[in-house]
Amino acid sequence: MLNKRVEEALNSQLVIEANSSHYYLAIASWAETKGLNGTSEFFYEQSDEERMHMLRLVKFINERGGQAIIPQVDMPPKDFGTITNVFNEFLNHELLVSAKVNEVVGVCHEEKDFATMNFMQWYVSEQIEEEALVRSIIDKLNLIDGEKSGLYMFDRDLKTIKSPQITINNDI
Ligand code: FEO
């Protein structure tokens, strides 16, 4: 049975993942209307992954005797400016998610819920991979430095970049 404080922390994380999925869906849609097909595909995939992160939490909370609360999501922006801005925002958002994941792990530790702490390790690993991926993309953008043909190739090449799949323990 989940401790109430741990259950609340997991439900808060569920909100973050739901909002992330929605936020990346908004970027994907915006990019599609700008002809940035690679960027669009990349963020459609990110959005699907964040939904999967949310679902893992829904299943885990319910299987452990808690109740997953499906939240209302925030309205994301409609306009994201430039590709560089998109990826800087992507990094900022993922850093925020990482901080929130660490908070949940902290609560698990304080409450001595080591099973949930183990479950959350998947998210810790996922965040390390995601942050590394975004940083490597931002490095490429910095090399291009706003140059048009470089941005065209960057967008095209994004179609081939896939997020690493984390497959450690606790598959639920
Ligand atoms: Fe599930 Fe990258 O946050």
Side-chain angles (χ1 to χ4, degrees):
M1 192 75 185
L2 274 180
N3 158 304
K4 269 291 154 207
R5 204 172 150 230
V6 172
E7 183 178 345
E8 279 172 20
L10 291 172
N11 267 310
S12 303
Q13 191 61 34
L14 194 161
V15 176
I16 307 257
E17 305 293 348
N19 276 319
S20 300
S21 176
H22 216 53
Y23 184 55
Y24 296 154
L25 185 59
I27 297 177
S29 177
W30 168 83
E32 198 163 42
T33 65
K34 301 290 173 204
L36 300 166
N37 295 340
T39 305
S40 174
E41 270 183 41
F42 178 84
F43 278 99
Y44 277 126
E45 189 185 319
Q46 290 299 317
S47 175
D48 284 347
E49 283 189 17
E50 297 301 346
R51 184 165 192 279
M52 186 272 286
H53 298 174
M54 178 193 70
L55 276 177
R56 281 179 86 95
L57 283 157
V58 170
K59 300 273 183 194
F60 183 81
I61 296 167
N62 290 342
E63 281 172 11
R64 299 265 298 158
Q67 184 185 357
I69 311 293
I70 306 307
Q72 187 170 23
V73 285
D74 296 334
M75 171 124 184
K78 285 187 238 165
D79 196 343
F80 294 89
T82 62
I83 293 194
T84 305
N85 186 54
V86 160
F87 282 93
N88 285 331
E89 288 296 316
F90 183 26
L91 179 60
N92 288 339
H93 188 79
E94 287 301 326
L95 290 173
L96 181 87
V97 175
S98 298
K100 296 292 182 188
V101 165
N102 287 341
E103 278 178 27
V104 179
V105 173
V107 171
C108 294
H109 192 259
E110 281 166 26
E111 299 295 334
K112 296 189 168 37
D113 182 345
F114 299 113
T116 304
M117 203 161 113
N118 187 42
F119 166 78
M120 286 304 297
Q121 280 307 312
W122 185 91
Y123 289 84
V124 172
S125 303
E126 175 73 15
Q127 286 309 120
I128 291 170
E129 296 292 341
E130 292 244 349
E131 283 180 31
L133 173 70
V134 194
R135 286 200 173 92
S136 72
I137 293 173
I138 289 176
D139 285 346
K140 286 190 180 66
L141 275 171
N142 287 338
L143 279 175
I144 295 164
D145 197 23
E147 198 251 314
K148 272 212 163 94
S149 61
L151 282 174
Y152 173 79
M153 282 189 282
F154 169 86
D155 183 66
R156 189 196 59 193
D157 292 350
L158 259 187
K159 286 184 186 168
T160 60
I161 297 181
K162 295 265 178 272
S163 290
Q165 301 298 312
I166 309 294
T167 48
I168 55 166
N169 58 42
N170 56 48
D171 271 335
I172 57 164

